[in-house]
Amino acid sequence: MTKEYQTLAAEIVAKVGGKDNISNVYHCQTRLRFTLIDNLKANTEEVEAIEGVTKVIINAGQYQVVIGTHVAEVFEEIEKRVDIVQERAESQEKKGIFNTIIDFVAGTFQSIIPALSGAGMVKAVLALLVVFNMITADSQTYYMLNLFADGVFFFLPILLAFTEAQKLKCNPILAAGVAAMLLHPNWSDLVTAGEPVRFFELIPFTLATYSSSVIPIILIIFVQSYVEKFLNQYIPKSINLVFVPMLTFLIMGTLAFSVLGPIGSIIGNYLAVFFTFLADNASWAPALIIGGLAPIMVMFGIHNGIAPLGIMQMSQLGYDSIFGPGMLCSNMAQATAGTIVAFVTKDKKVRETAVPGSITAYMGITEPLLYRVNLPKRYPLIAALIGGGLGGLYAGITHTHRFATGSSGLPAVLLYIGDDTMTYFYNIIIAIVITIVSTALITFILAKYFEKDTADKAAPVKDKTLVLTGQDIAAPLSGEVLPIEKSEDEVFASKAMGEGVLILPESSEIVAPFDGTVATLFPTNHAIGLISDQGAEILIHIGINTVDLAGKGFEAFVKQGDKVRKGQKLLAFDKQTIENAGFSSQTMVIVTNSTDYNKIHTENNQFSQAGDLILKLDK
């Protein structure tokens, strides 16, 4: 291991609060994912300033440090410096239901992606050998190569059992043992025979095949985690080692074959029906949505909850059309947008970041490029969203799908060879070409406006006709006013939504910052959009991820379309309710039409009362 990674690991551990503040840590393809005992002990600004760290994201209770493709090497050094202990329930941040589900799904599936990816590429090689007549489908070589690839998919329940058990803090070896029961050849023989099976001549066991399945084992291990904890709680430590595993196997084996497995199979069958319906009636939708919105999903971690749908579809139907095609188009769009930025920018530092970031993105890892170039500059992200959506739309309309799971980079095109045809391979190539060409054109056009040198930006705009006038924006509540870059939400912090400030609330009411109209009022009352009489468009967003509270702790005193006067009461919120639920109460005040103004002055790093000047917009 290089000294570079040793130093990097040591700095990260120190700046997240030291090893005593780390309850758990693991890594995915690009990020170190910490569970910290106290997030406040981590100095996020200093972590992001470390050479080798791309970004810090706090999502679903995790403190995520984006490293890049060499994250595994950094993690090896992190492991040497921390003592991983069981996560303490009292130290966990409370999460909303949505975040909890995403965190569970990601924690269960993330670890098995390398195995699925490797097996997928073996399948791709096998398909190429058959297509080019290098081997025949009835040869022993074909038989063995297929075995190499199918092993992971056949025994997928065992892999999922192990990773889910790790996530749920129960014994992963016992979980794998329970999964192995479902795949035992003797059970397969009973299913093939088709004769009814009754346990102790009393409990019926439903005849179902569980190889390559997903839902049954997820249900089974979820229940096992509670059974195990119950047994460990009441069985004395002196005999725990013998009786807990024995009783776990007896209880879970019975439940697995009689209740949980069959329920999981039924759910899986309904999913298969849904996937088939989607493919027949709205094949364009998943690839369009993923292709167009994947970067946004990545920012909020939502992609981790959607990716397993592709794995489930593959386990049911033998292919994935939900996640793979759209994600591949999205990654190609981001890589292309970054490439164009590298060519047109006059900022040497941006170019030095964009070039390697684009190469990595073409290989399927987009986060370094997303967080360092495309998101901060905004226009390449917009171009990537449009280009990825167009490519995804073509892939969806043509029913393009992949036959194995793998990374979503250029090498993944091989995964679209299957069913003894090259049709899907040709279609994904066309989809990628559409993505690259459209993204490149849009990025280049937008760059003409956004990539101006400093002199051009400083020069007065003589021919620009503005219908807006200058505008003073008052504080909508009392509290400490800070730069928007300090927001815990990277979308706001990156100014992707516009210029603005954040306020640490000291009052519980939101008042109108000017005379104007209520343009939008979110149903959960956690955010409100206003348009001033002078044309300024303002978003006031209370808290981070507070949409998950579903309106709890929020009250509105106006409705959409109402005219309001400066100082008029708009919303009320309970700061304690927000923070007790584990969310930040940071309140963002964003000028969503920032580009319509030549200059936006911010008054921050101060305490302001509601009504004090915090933003000044110059036309």
Side-chain angles (χ1 to χ4, degrees), residues 509-510 521 525 555-559 562 568-573:
E509 293 183 355
I510 301 294
L521 178 61
N525 298 328
E555 184 178 4
F557 299 92
V558 292
K559 62 182 184 298
D562 282 358
Q568 179 180 338
K569 185 176 179 180
L570 306 177
L571 304 172
F573 62 94

Side-chain angles (χ1 to χ4, degrees), residues 395-424:
I397 290 174
T398 55
H399 298 270
T400 301
H401 50 253
R402 60 181 179 175
F403 297 92
T405 301
S407 64
S408 295
L410 279 175
V413 297
L414 299 178
L415 303 179
Y416 293 79
I417 302 173
D419 278 357
D420 298 325
T421 177
M422 296 288 285
T423 301
Y424 305 109

Side-chain angles (χ1 to χ4, degrees), residues 361-618:
Y362 277 122
M363 293 299 105
I365 304 298
T366 60
E367 285 171 308
L369 182 67
L370 172 63
Y371 290 120
R372 286 187 173 182
V373 178
N374 292 354
L375 181 58
K377 280 187 165 292
R378 288 188 287 174
Y379 78 87
L381 177 59
I382 293 170
L385 296 179
I386 298 171
L390 291 174
L393 179 61
Y394 176 84
I397 290 174
T398 55
H399 298 270
T400 301
H401 50 253
R402 60 181 179 175
F403 297 92
T405 301
S407 64
S408 295
L410 279 175
V413 297
L414 299 178
L415 303 179
Y416 293 79
I417 302 173
D419 278 357
D420 298 325
T421 177
M422 296 288 285
T423 301
Y424 305 109
F425 174 78
Y426 296 143
N427 280 334
I428 197 63
I429 294 296
I430 294 171
I432 290 173
V433 170
I434 292 172
T435 297
I436 290 175
V437 171
S438 59
T439 303
L441 287 174
I442 296 169
T443 308
F444 188 77
I445 291 169
L446 292 177
K448 289 289 187 181
Y449 176 79
F450 288 98
E451 287 289 346
K452 295 180 179 180
D453 58 28
T454 307
D456 287 341
K457 290 181 179 178
V461 182
K462 296 179 180 180
D463 58 349
K464 183 178 179 181
T465 303
L466 288 173
V467 296
L468 304 177
T469 61
Q471 176 78 59
D472 291 345
I473 309 296
L477 75 165
S478 300
E480 185 179 358
V481 182
L482 298 173
I484 193 62
E485 292 89 344
K486 293 184 179 293
S487 172
E488 294 176 16
D489 187 308
E490 58 267 25
V491 175
F492 291 119
S494 68
K495 301 183 182 179
M497 298 283 291
E499 292 279 354
V501 297
L502 73 85
I503 301 177
L504 304 179
E506 291 295 333
S507 60
S508 58
E509 293 183 355
I510 301 294
V511 299
F514 45 57
D515 295 344
T517 305
V518 178
T520 56
L521 178 61
F522 285 73
T524 52
N525 298 328
H526 76 288
I528 188 170
L530 304 169
I531 299 178
S532 76
D533 292 343
Q534 286 75 37
E537 299 174 11
I538 302 295
L539 172 69
I540 303 171
H541 192 288
I542 307 168
I544 307 292
N545 294 326
T546 44
V547 65
D548 289 346
L549 290 174
K552 182 181 178 182
F554 297 91
E555 184 178 4
F557 299 92
V558 292
K559 62 182 184 298
Q560 192 166 314
D562 282 358
K563 296 287 290 183
V564 296
R565 304 289 294 176
K566 181 179 178 181
Q568 179 180 338
K569 185 176 179 180
L570 306 177
L571 304 172
F573 62 94
D574 187 340
K575 179 181 176 182
Q576 202 63 45
T577 298
I578 294 172
E579 295 181 349
N580 285 346
F583 299 112
S584 168
S585 61
Q586 287 185 346
T587 298
M588 277 59 65
V589 183
I590 306 295
V591 183
T592 53
N593 63 335
S594 295
T595 55
D596 291 338
Y597 294 93
N598 287 333
K599 181 69 175 176
I600 298 179
H601 305 274
T602 60
E603 300 291 336
N604 49 49
N605 295 314
Q606 64 180 27
F607 184 91
S608 293
Q609 296 287 348
D612 290 350
L613 176 67
I614 57 170
L615 290 165
K616 187 174 181 63
L617 317 182
D618 292 343

Side-chain angles (χ1 to χ4, degrees), residues 196-205 249-250 253-255 257-258:
V197 176
R198 300 184 72 85
F199 195 49
F200 285 107
E201 304 299 326
L202 179 66
I203 304 172
F205 282 0
F249 282 158
L250 289 174
T254 305
L255 290 177
F257 287 109
S258 63

Side-chain angles (χ1 to χ4, degrees), residues 132-273:
F132 290 104
N133 295 318
M134 298 178 70
I135 62 172
T136 60
D138 58 357
S139 68
Q140 289 186 338
T141 301
Y142 179 96
Y143 186 86
M144 292 308 300
L145 281 175
N146 196 50
L147 182 150
F148 293 172
D150 274 349
V152 169
F153 294 99
F154 185 89
F155 292 104
L156 184 59
I158 294 179
L159 301 180
L160 285 173
F162 191 91
T163 57
E164 184 183 357
Q166 288 182 314
K167 181 64 182 174
L168 296 177
K169 304 302 178 187
C170 60
N171 191 315
I173 300 300
L174 292 184
V178 171
M181 299 176 191
L182 302 177
L183 304 177
H184 197 287
N186 288 357
W187 174 251
S188 299
D189 291 343
L190 289 173
V191 174
T192 302
E195 297 180 4
V197 176
R198 300 184 72 85
F199 195 49
F200 285 107
E201 304 299 326
L202 179 66
I203 304 172
F205 282 0
T206 302
L207 298 175
T209 301
Y210 298 108
S211 59
S212 303
S213 64
V214 172
I215 302 297
I217 197 62
I218 288 177
L219 287 178
I220 290 166
I221 303 307
F222 181 78
V223 173
Q224 179 180 325
S225 68
Y226 288 96
V227 170
E228 247 188 79
K229 289 170 187 174
F230 177 84
L231 294 174
N232 280 316
Q233 183 177 355
Y234 290 100
I235 293 179
K237 295 294 181 184
S238 57
I239 57 174
N240 182 290
L241 183 63
V242 174
F243 284 95
V244 169
M246 179 191 74
L247 291 174
T248 297
F249 282 158
L250 289 174
I251 294 170
M252 293 314 304
T254 305
L255 290 177
F257 287 109
S258 63
V259 179
L260 301 175
I263 290 175
S265 292
I266 292 171
I267 295 173
N269 290 335
Y270 277 117
L271 275 175
V273 171

Side-chain angles (χ1 to χ4, degrees), residues 105 109-110 113 116 290 297 302-313 320 322-324 327 402 405:
V105 172
F109 284 88
Q110 196 78 49
I113 294 299
L116 293 174
I290 300 295
M297 296 176 181
I302 299 173
H303 68 299
N304 290 321
I306 298 175
L309 288 176
I311 298 173
M312 293 178 192
Q313 185 187 27
D320 163 32
I322 288 181
F323 188 76
M327 198 66 187
R402 60 181 179 175
T405 301

